Amino acid sequence: MVDAASNKPARAAAEFAPVRQTAAAPSAASPYRLATGGIVDRSAPLLFSFDGRNYGGLRGDTLASALLANGVRLVGRSFKYHRPRGILAAGSEEPNALVELREGARREPNTRATVAELYEGLAAVSQNRWPSLWFDCMAVNSLFSPIIGAGFYYKTFMWPASFWEKLYEPMIRRAAGLGRAAGMPDPDTYEKAFAHCDVLVIGSGPAGLMAALAAGRAGARVILCDEDFEFGGRLLAECRDIDGRPCAQWAGSLLAELASLPEVRMLKRTTVFGAYDHGVYAAIERVADHLATPSPHMPRQRVWNIVAKRTVLAAGAIERPLVFGNNDRPGVMLGGAVRAYLNRFAVKPGTRAVVFANNDDAVATLLDLAAAGISVQACVDPRGADAGVVRAAAQRIGTRFVNGAVVRARGGHRLRAVDVSAVAEPWHKLTFPCDLLAMSGGWSPSVHLSSHLGGRPQWSDALAAFVPGPLPRGMSVAGAAAGEFGLAACLAGGAKAGAEAAGDCGFAAKPVAMPGIGPEPIGIAALWRVRAKRGKAFVDFQNDVTVSDIELAEREGFRAVEHLKRYTTLGMATDQGKTANVNGLAIMAELTEKTIPATGATRFRPPYTPVAIGALAGHHRRKDFKPTRLTPGHAWAQEQGAVFMETGLWLRAQYFPQPGDNSWLDACNREVTATRNAVGVCDVSTLGKIDLQGTDAGLFLDRLYANAMSSLPVGRARYGLMLREDGFVLDDGTVSRLAEDHFFVTTTTANAARVMQHMDFCHQVLWPDLDVQFVSVSDQWAQYSLAGPKAREVLQKLVDGQHDISNTAFPYMAAGEVTVGGGVPARLFRISFSGELAYEISVPARFGDAVIRAVVAAGAPLGIRPYGLEALSVMRIEKGHVGGAEINGQTTARDLGLERMVSSKKDFIGRVMAGRPALLAPDRPAFVGFKSVGDGAIGAGAHFLPVGAEPSARNDEGHVTSVAYSPTLGHLVGLGLLKGGSKRLGEKMRAYDPLRGRDTLIEVCSPVFYDPEGARLRA
Amino acid sequence: MRIPCPYCGERGNAEYAYLGDAGVSRPQTPLGAALEGATLDAWMNYVYLRDNPAGAHRELWYHASGCRAWLIVTRNVSTHEILNVEAANGAIRDGRVGAL
Ligand SMILES: [Zn+2]
């Protein structure tokens, strides 16, 4: 009557033609759709395709229900053995029916057909098969299953290591991969949203609806989330009466009331996927997943960050498969899923059924199957006397009741029969032909979110299930998620939890009447595996973990639950073992003859279901990854054709190319030469700027900087060096005194925020008594550096006449307030980074654009040129100023040759620790300059080696920090940190750079290459 | 995590920057004092050494994206429960912060 199941490719080929014709013949009137019932819209037919064939479905279908309605049972191949797989479940726990959804750039792999909402034109293809779903060459993996069992990866691909990248990994990925990602940029947008509420209700089944109603009626701000595209949970899937009405209808009236409550927000298609500290929850809303393409300006998905004072977890429960031979054959389905397809989707998942359950849930399955006109061949229950209600139900519909267990499913691409072993006659196998097996191993409460913060679920022997353990503060659990499996208990538990949650938020509960419900049996006797099973008995369907794998893990000593998980990969697939974990754990408990609590439970972590990285990123992609900061002079620089570079969040002009330039270097050289010979202007608005005021401002700065600042006269500026408390240099900049109690300091662009935080710390935590206030004014002032022998000449055209800026009146390091352009307030600082006569002029940001244009106009007759970061950097290297490459967090003032700046007459941050002996060691790398005496190139990062020494860490004497071609001097100039520092002037060394394959002779020299006397900047 | 700032109200932890133990105080060392013995120990302790207790811990947090206040947050580092938050301003000087 029935053949033995076979996985051989030859067999698959033989079945190819006949089965496909019957199963997938196009039909407008889907052959397995019931004539009436369900909550699908029969007036809204939808066309979709699967593996290139067109089918018809209805609005309200999932891809899974639409496939079943068309008789499509085989939907995928399994991960490791490429076994034919069908649809096991009807919700997000589905381990088998993973497909690639959509096409082109929108293609997404591993989409569960059971949650993919059908839309017109939906295109899906099966995955993990080659060349086709029906004929999959890789199914030969099944023949090798003895060698690709648990621990296969660890044992087989150990050696040699070099084979891993080249051979093993690509091979495994091809053979055992799941779907393919699009490989193209995602055309859709994703966004983030924040919400606050009193009561967050997770799940809209009977418990969740009642909780939301109780809290909503009390007046609390409620957010109700459900992962489904319809609210109602199991009320949509069951054929029960509440208050004399079908339960789905009853749910409809509740939903109407909830929708009318102004403080209740209902988010469907929204999965709460993570619980975090202090009532923070993350949820993913699939805004447009049910559309072919999102509407304009509509995000594809939205990540919610929900802050809830109280939370009611009403996430329901997940049914467990039974573990017997070939329990993965297409047509073997969870009983609750069978009822969902019958009752919600009006789809017959088969024509001849067998029911196999260890619990009273079988009653509803039997009755619903019979009501749909599906002949039930047998009802198999391992329980004896305890199965009375199931036996009675079977009797009622004229089905044979067998006290026993299914030991094996038969059939290949679809179920053909089941072999049953009866308790009374174990030697005699009964075989029942069928194309649907509705199985139930009991229900596991969805405790996931209750344990995200560490609370371990607790085992209940009575329920044969884990129930929530210690809960996150503010969370309560209701309904099936709490182990309350009866409908009446769910409704009552939900109402109570909702009222209590609202009460905790200060809202007095209003009564919610309990509807009338008939009684229902919920008895169960655990059955973790059918011991007489024949064939592969799957525990984790998605990762192809079988009972034999768990037995192997046990034999090899991987018995602890975390070891079991990692050794067998149980629960590590994209479904995170929703249908597998409890069975796997319980089987290990049986094998080790321990209790389940003694065996343990793996912890759940977010996300509850897979979340796309793109959704988590939201709008933070490409240029929007971080904000872009533009200086007030940006538009002007753009007009000059500047090439910009990112420095932190800022865009800064790198150089200003001109026609005929061969490279950036041509532009850079021109800018340096123009500045050294005439005058250049550079936008330095990105510097951190802090305004300090107060009678103790000078004292405060004394404590912050290594050098003295309180002694700075009004109208003068000073270079300042700031240390960290551990003695290393934190930052440098300038300090200017504008009045007795008023200072203005600059920081480097990179450290602006850090220095501000440091100053706040010093003031608030260390020295709160000091009378000083300060604020960041980085964005308030545009600042330009005007450098070159003609800088003063240009400036004199801009600064209003009453201000004397002659060399006598406004000498080197002078600072003061002036006006420019007829009354525009400005601050002028005679400071120089380039080594030329130079000024920095600061104007309120709104004048920044006008002032840079005025500067360039005034300077045009004198040959002014804008210069960018490249030229700025070349000039500071020529002048031997330290920059970010030298102030690298590992250098002290002494290392940088700045020890004379460090005051010994006052306390300051870093003073004591800078005096540690190790930081005073004479062989610490210290700041030097060098010139190339070879002919090779040199780059920053090259290491200093003694000439003739073998390149090794032992012989390493320091490294190159900055290097540039000096157009002024006509040769390469470099800075570095070298052991012994300035004591080694004149020595020849190698600059060794194995990364770039360079090795060049250099000569150590003073770091000040240009105008060492400083005559030019005082001119 | 949500941290109630005494100035701004309860805000998400993304607005804050963490520094560490609020129970260490900056040693007072006279100018010219030798960096050895108890002085060196005190500084090493202040700059580097930190206890890592399970349970309640007083920590310095900075409301970087808010009011810029440095706060002393008493937090159970095992459960993340926030037990107390106060402005750091003056607390350390006044000796109100030390080992719990
Ligand atoms: Zn604040």
Side-chain angles (χ1 to χ4, degrees):
Chain A
M1 172 180 56
V2 203
D3 295 326
S6 167
N7 315 310
K8 295 189 182 80
R11 174 79 196 162
E15 285 181 351
F16 184 86
V19 178
R20 188 175 174 199
Q21 275 171 5
T22 51
S27 164
S30 308
Y32 292 85
R33 184 78 68 184
L34 293 165
T36 57
I39 50 167
V40 284
D41 185 352
R42 287 185 171 74
S43 67
L46 300 171
L47 202 67
F48 71 101
S49 76
F50 178 65
D51 276 350
R53 275 182 85 92
N54 289 333
Y55 299 97
L58 298 176
R59 184 161 306 288
D61 263 329
T62 60
L63 174 59
S65 69
L67 287 169
L68 289 171
N70 288 282
V72 179
R73 302 294 188 77
L74 173 63
V75 296
R77 289 274 172 174
S78 73
F79 178 59
K80 208 157 77 178
Y81 302 128
H82 289 244
R83 288 176 58 110
R85 290 285 167 85
I87 294 159
L88 180 75
S92 64
E93 72 274 27
E94 175 64 40
N96 282 342
L98 306 185
V99 298
E100 285 176 4
L101 200 61
R102 305 170 193 267
E103 292 164 324
R106 288 194 168 88
R107 185 175 73 203
E108 55 181 58
N110 307 334
T111 305
R112 290 148 293 161
T114 50
V115 296
E117 192 174 345
L118 202 67
Y119 56 84
E120 179 67 24
L122 178 149
V125 295
S126 58
Q127 51 189 38
N128 205 26
R129 82 287 187 271
W130 185 85
S132 79
L133 184 55
W134 282 87
F135 183 86
D136 177 7
C137 288
M138 299 309 283
V140 295
N141 275 8
S142 248
L143 304 179
F144 299 130
S145 61
I147 60 163
I148 53 175
F152 164 65
Y153 298 135
Y154 306 113
K155 289 171 182 165
T156 311
F157 297 128
M158 288 279 289
W159 184 89
S162 62
F163 275 28
W164 180 256
E165 239 173 77
K166 293 194 182 87
L167 185 65
Y168 296 153
E169 193 184 322
M171 196 173 99
I172 292 171
R173 290 214 180 278
R174 181 189 298 260
L178 286 172
R180 304 160 301 155
M184 277 178 266
D186 188 335
D188 294 326
T189 59
Y190 300 81
E191 67 179 26
K192 295 178 189 180
F194 294 80
H196 295 255
C197 64
D198 295 313
V199 182
L200 169 66
V201 180
I202 302 166
S204 70
L209 282 183
M210 289 300 268
L213 190 69
R217 278 190 187 165
R221 288 179 307 157
V222 175
I223 294 178
L224 172 64
C225 295
D226 199 293
E227 61 178 350
D228 206 326
F229 53 91
E230 297 284 0
F231 292 108
R234 286 302 299 177
L235 293 173
L236 307 177
E238 301 290 0
C239 190
R240 295 284 300 271
D241 279 356
I242 301 181
D243 273 348
R245 284 189 292 164
C247 58
Q249 226 181 71
W250 178 85
S253 57
L254 238 69
L255 288 165
E257 180 180 348
L258 282 172
S260 74
L261 295 173
E263 298 292 351
V264 176
R265 170 180 227 161
M266 298 162 76
L267 297 171
K268 58 182 172 186
R269 301 187 182 100
T270 303
T271 306
V272 177
F273 65 79
Y276 304 90
D277 287 304
H278 306 151
V280 177
Y281 291 84
I284 177 88
E285 182 183 5
R286 289 169 290 274
V287 182
D289 276 11
H290 60 298
L291 306 172
T293 53
S295 312
H297 311 300
M298 181 191 253
R300 172 79 180 276
Q301 298 178 345
R302 180 182 289 131
V303 171
W304 285 93
N305 181 307
I306 301 171
V307 181
K309 291 192 185 122
R310 287 281 275 99
T311 298
V312 178
L313 177 64
I318 293 171
E319 200 168 19
R320 292 187 295 265
L322 286 163
V323 181
F324 55 90
N326 294 339
N327 60 341
D328 63 329
R329 288 291 177 236
V332 178
M333 197 178 272
L334 294 169
V338 168
R339 300 202 297 277
Y341 290 116
L342 291 170
N343 298 323
R344 173 174 174 179
F345 300 105
V347 166
K348 289 196 283 187
T351 50
R352 279 199 295 188
V354 170
V355 174
F356 177 27
N358 67 342
N359 64 83
D360 295 347
D361 220 44
V363 173
T365 309
L366 285 167
L367 300 181
D368 290 357
L369 282 167
I374 296 171
S375 91
V376 186
Q377 305 292 302
C379 174
V380 184
D381 195 318
R383 300 175 298 171
D386 292 345
V389 289
V390 177
R391 187 188 294 267
Q395 217 155 32
R396 234 171 86 195
I397 62 165
T399 288
R400 178 171 171 189
F401 179 89
V402 181
N403 178 210
V406 173
V407 293
R408 172 162 69 163
R410 291 172 174 270
H413 288 155
R414 69 190 308 169
L415 181 67
R416 295 180 183 283
V418 292
D419 290 345
V420 173
S421 171
V423 171
E425 305 171 87
W427 59 89
H428 178 64
K429 291 275 175 297
L430 301 166
T431 297
F432 296 96
C434 60
D435 62 355
L436 174 66
L437 178 72
M439 64 175 168
S440 178
W443 293 77
S444 298
S446 294
V447 300
H448 308 72
L449 288 162
S450 77
S451 76
H452 278 180
L453 294 181
R456 291 214 180 251
Q458 286 168 358
W459 181 253
S460 158
D461 266 325
L463 296 168
F466 282 102
V467 293
L471 296 173
R473 177 171 287 207
M475 179 188 282
S476 48
V477 189
E484 301 166 340
F485 286 145
L487 177 55
C490 284
L491 295 168
K496 181 164 171 284
E500 281 174 4
D504 288 352
C505 301
F507 297 91
K510 301 235 173 73
V512 176
M514 275 307 119
I517 313 280
E520 79 197 276
I522 56 165
I524 182 167
L527 174 67
W528 302 118
R529 60 184 162 139
V530 175
R531 292 184 189 230
K533 57 99 176 166
R534 293 186 51 206
K536 277 193 175 39
F538 285 88
V539 179
D540 184 326
F541 290 75
Q542 195 170 119
N543 261 354
D544 271 354
V545 179
T546 64
V547 172
S548 310
D549 292 325
I550 298 175
E551 288 168 347
L552 181 66
E554 192 274 331
R555 283 201 302 278
E556 299 196 341
F558 297 96
R559 292 175 192 135
V561 59
E562 297 292 348
H563 290 161
L564 167 68
K565 173 178 170 175
R566 282 157 186 87
Y567 193 61
T568 62
T569 72
L570 173 81
M572 292 174 73
T574 65
D575 65 346
Q576 291 284 290
K578 288 189 177 57
T579 56
N581 285 340
V582 176
N583 282 344
L585 182 71
I587 291 169
M588 180 57 85
E590 279 186 359
L591 292 172
T592 53
E593 295 174 346
K594 282 193 200 160
T595 63
I596 289 174
T599 306
T602 55
R603 276 243 299 262
F604 294 104
R605 295 183 183 86
Y608 175 66
T609 49
V611 178
I613 296 286
L616 295 174
H619 286 297
H620 294 258
R621 49 192 285 199
R622 300 200 186 96
K623 289 310 260 181
D624 296 329
F625 183 64
K626 290 181 194 167
T628 303
R629 297 177 77 179
L630 302 178
T631 68
H634 185 81
W636 164 82
Q638 224 165 6
E639 287 167 28
Q640 308 310 307
V643 172
F644 293 95
M645 70 184 290
E646 292 177 12
T647 49
L649 300 178
W650 292 100
L651 280 187
R652 297 189 70 180
Q654 188 181 358
Y655 57 94
F656 294 82
Q658 298 238 321
D661 285 352
N662 288 318
S663 73
W664 65 272
L665 190 59
D666 288 350
C668 173
N669 290 344
R670 179 177 56 243
E671 291 164 21
V672 170
T673 306
T675 305
R676 295 263 184 245
N677 293 328
V679 57
V681 62
C682 181
D683 188 347
V684 294
S685 302
T686 61
L687 291 173
K689 308 181 203 77
I690 300 168
D691 196 287
L692 296 95
Q693 300 184 31
T695 52
D696 293 326
L699 182 56
F700 182 60
L701 292 174
D702 273 349
R703 294 182 183 180
L704 277 175
Y705 286 91
N707 47 337
M709 293 299 170
S710 57
S711 59
L712 187 65
V714 172
R716 301 289 292 178
R718 184 170 285 170
Y719 177 69
L721 196 65
M722 221 180 251
L723 307 188
R724 304 189 309 224
E725 196 69 279
D726 63 4
F728 292 91
V729 176
L730 168 63
D731 197 45
D732 66 349
T734 57
V735 176
S736 304
R737 191 167 203 164
L738 301 173
E740 201 54 46
D741 58 355
H742 187 189
F743 288 80
F744 175 76
V745 311
T746 63
T747 74
T748 58
T749 300
N751 280 331
R754 190 163 169 213
V755 168
M756 191 66 196
Q757 176 173 338
H758 176 63
M759 286 172 70
D760 275 329
F761 176 85
C762 292
H763 182 225
Q764 293 174 34
V765 179
L766 299 183
W767 306 303
D769 290 333
L770 295 185
D771 173 26
V772 58
Q773 300 296 327
F774 46 91
V775 67
S776 165
V777 292
S778 297
D779 286 316
Q780 279 67 26
W781 293 89
Q783 195 151 317
Y784 300 99
S785 169
L786 207 58
K790 295 179 180 169
R792 186 183 298 115
E793 222 176 309
V794 176
L795 209 51
Q796 271 163 339
K797 298 188 192 178
L798 298 166
V799 173
D800 293 337
Q802 69 271 31
H803 307 287
D804 183 0
I805 59 164
S806 67
N807 198 26
T808 335
F810 203 81
Y812 177 58
M813 294 311 259
E817 288 174 316
V818 297
T819 58
V820 295
V824 173
R827 289 170 178 177
L828 193 62
F829 312 94
R830 191 165 160 194
I831 50 186
S832 176
F833 200 47
S834 57
E836 298 298 332
L837 163 66
Y839 301 83
E840 284 184 14
I841 183 164
S842 205
V843 293
R846 65 185 183 283
F847 295 108
D849 180 73
V851 166
I852 184 62
R853 291 172 196 278
V855 166
V856 173
L862 301 166
I864 196 167
R865 278 201 184 281
Y867 66 94
L869 279 182
E870 294 292 350
L872 181 93
S873 180
V874 168
M875 288 190 279
R876 76 106 186 153
I877 295 171
E878 286 176 340
K879 190 63 188 168
H881 285 307
V882 294
E886 288 80 28
I887 301 180
N888 61 5
Q890 301 175 355
T891 45
T892 64
R894 193 171 158 277
D895 297 339
L896 299 175
L898 301 172
E899 64 266 45
R900 277 175 307 172
M901 286 179 66
V902 178
S903 169
S904 57
K905 300 192 182 75
K906 65 178 181 94
D907 191 23
F908 56 89
I909 297 284
R911 169 183 68 94
V912 176
M913 292 298 262
R916 280 182 283 170
L919 298 190
L920 303 174
D923 65 341
R924 274 186 68 81
F927 191 51
V928 292
F930 67 86
K931 289 183 263 202
S932 171
V933 290
D935 48 10
I938 300 174
H943 281 254
F944 294 127
L945 290 176
V947 175
E950 173 206 351
S952 70
R954 196 161 37 91
N955 290 333
D956 184 21
E957 302 217 330
H959 73 277
V960 175
T961 52
S962 304
V963 66
Y965 171 76
S966 164
T968 316
L969 305 171
H971 59 75
L972 202 125
V973 292
L975 305 173
L977 296 162
L978 173 67
K979 278 184 185 174
S982 57
K983 288 196 287 290
R984 305 182 62 177
L985 300 188
E987 271 187 48
K988 297 228 175 17
M989 308 278 307
R990 286 162 69 188
Y992 178 68
D993 189 347
L995 280 182
R996 301 182 182 92
R998 294 169 178 172
D999 191 355
T1000 305
L1001 208 59
I1002 57 109
E1003 183 186 314
V1004 181
C1005 63
S1006 155
V1008 187
F1009 295 91
Y1010 182 72
D1011 185 30
E1013 301 77 29
R1016 297 181 70 89
L1017 44 78
R1018 291 187 173 79
Chain B
M1 286 203 303
R2 310 270 303 164
I3 298 174
C5 172
Y7 302 111
C8 308
E10 187 188 287
R11 301 297 176 90
N13 62 341
E15 290 189 11
Y16 295 86
Y18 176 79
L19 183 72
D21 191 355
V24 292
S25 55
R26 192 168 186 268
Q28 299 298 310
T29 303
L31 296 174
L35 184 57
E36 57 190 23
T39 306
L40 182 59
D41 287 348
W43 277 97
M44 293 304 275
N45 188 45
Y46 175 62
V47 174
Y48 293 115
L49 300 183
R50 293 294 179 271
D51 293 333
N52 184 20
H57 193 219
R58 284 194 178 125
E59 305 169 326
L60 281 161
W61 288 77
Y62 179 57
H63 197 184
S65 300
C67 62
R68 284 172 43 205
W70 278 94
L71 306 173
I72 296 171
V73 176
T74 309
R75 182 173 69 111
N76 183 323
V77 294
S78 305
T79 64
H80 295 182
E81 187 184 359
I82 307 282
L83 304 165
N84 186 51
V85 181
E86 59 182 318
N89 206 332
I92 291 170
R93 171 202 53 191
D94 299 346
R96 281 186 281 121
V97 177
L100 277 155

